[in-house]
Amino acid sequence: MSEFQRLKLEPAYRKVATALTERITAGALQPGARLPAELELARQLGVHRSTVREALRELESAGLLRRERGSKLMMVSRPDRKVVASGVTRALKLHSATVAEVWETMTLLEPTVAELAARRRSVEALAALGAVVARAEVDGRARDTRSQVASSAAQAADFFRALAAAAGNNVLAMTQEPLLQLLDSSLQRLISVVPQARGRIESAQRRILEAITAGAAAAARNWCEKHIRDYRRGFEIAGIDLTQSIATVSGRPRRAS
């Protein structure tokens, strides 16, 4: 008979962190709820105060806790969506996700998001989506500087974020976030190389917004499909190799050799 593997002994602070995380994710501790003071937590859990402090520090880094200004007590919070997604973004880069793979996933995801947004739109969601689209018009009139290109790329990504918010589906919003983070350099490259890209992006966004405002789900899906297809064509014109790892795409156009 083969020998048993040695058991992994977790540090005490990790056990405390796990116990608190389970309470938070189960809903027993809601966002905004204050935790007891460190000494009281240590008493309840039967550990040293230093152990509690280390556990709280770990959960604060994970975005599950935050310290309110002027208070020594920790408060339960929700992790920032972009921070959580950044871990998936990093993993996809390490697994050499290609431009084509990210684009293909967008074609599967975003038209459904647009359709749901048209079915579930609210006054608040429409106002937020309209505000994002209005930014495209402002960006289109600005000078083509590096910072402005970055701003235009951010606006293009924020449009999809606003779509997901209008769709009212947190899972879809979290699913698309790593893709949007991965696309940033490609979008900057596209906008800097293809002069007409800004106008086409703004036009497509307005068409999608009009369909969502009218509650026309099929039209919203159709225009979003066209919008995503147009991105692929733009990438090709900008000289982006769709088979390359998206992590290697530079926002700057290549210099002629």
Side-chain angles (χ1 to χ4, degrees):
M1 178 182 297
S2 59
E3 294 184 0
F4 290 103
Q5 293 184 345
R6 288 179 176 271
L7 295 176
K8 294 182 179 179
L9 301 179
E10 282 192 316
Y13 81 88
R14 186 63 54 76
K15 293 181 180 179
V16 171
T18 299
L20 291 173
T21 300
E22 289 175 351
R23 293 284 296 274
I24 293 171
T25 55
L29 291 172
Q30 291 289 321
R34 286 184 174 84
L35 295 183
E38 291 178 359
L39 278 174
E40 176 57 20
L41 263 179
R43 185 193 67 77
Q44 292 182 23
L45 295 168
V47 296
H48 293 294
R49 181 180 181 179
S50 59
T51 301
V52 168
R53 185 179 296 119
E54 187 66 27
L56 296 182
R57 188 179 296 118
E58 180 171 290
L59 296 187
E60 185 178 15
S61 298
L64 292 176
L65 296 176
R66 65 181 177 86
R67 198 182 302 276
E68 194 172 24
R69 182 174 296 179
S71 174
K72 294 183 178 180
L73 299 180
M74 283 290 192
M75 178 184 294
V76 177
S77 65
R78 286 193 177 95
D80 182 84
R81 181 175 292 154
K82 292 183 181 181
V83 174
V84 174
S86 65
V88 180
T89 301
R90 185 165 52 251
L92 288 171
K93 286 181 178 180
L94 292 172
H95 283 275
S96 300
T98 66
V99 178
E101 288 173 335
V102 174
W103 174 85
E104 186 176 62
T105 306
M106 295 285 287
T107 65
L108 297 172
L109 184 68
E110 297 305 337
T112 298
V113 173
E115 182 179 348
L116 287 174
R119 297 183 188 279
R120 299 174 178 175
R121 69 202 187 287
S122 66
V123 173
E124 295 79 11
L126 287 175
L129 191 58
V132 173
V133 174
R135 281 169 48 198
E137 184 177 357
V138 174
D139 286 345
R141 295 196 301 264
R143 293 180 60 189
D144 192 17
T145 62
R146 186 179 301 175
S147 61
Q148 188 55 51
V149 167
S151 176
S152 295
Q155 187 279 334
D158 285 344
F159 175 76
F160 291 113
R161 293 186 179 101
L163 272 185
N169 188 310
N170 287 322
V171 176
L172 284 174
M174 184 63 76
T175 301
Q176 76 171 6
E177 183 57 39
L179 302 176
L180 297 178
Q181 293 181 11
L182 284 170
L183 278 174
D184 183 65
S185 291
S186 300
L187 289 174
Q188 290 194 45
R189 172 82 167 274
L190 167 62
I191 292 168
S192 64
V193 175
V194 185
Q196 65 271 30
R198 287 181 184 170
R200 293 183 68 87
I201 290 171
E202 180 191 353
S203 177
Q205 289 180 357
R206 289 200 174 279
R207 292 283 192 170
I208 296 168
L209 175 60
E210 289 169 3
I212 291 174
T213 302
R221 168 180 279 276
N222 184 51
W223 275 109
C224 194
E225 287 174 346
K226 291 179 180 179
H227 185 36
I228 300 296
R229 285 200 300 269
D230 206 35
Y231 272 124
R232 179 183 178 116
R233 178 59 179 153
F235 290 155
E236 292 171 341
I237 294 173
I240 298 174
D241 181 1
L242 299 180
T243 65
Q244 77 179 104
S245 169
I246 199 165
T248 64
V249 177
S250 171
R252 301 181 187 179
R254 295 171 182 163
R255 294 182 178 178
S257 55

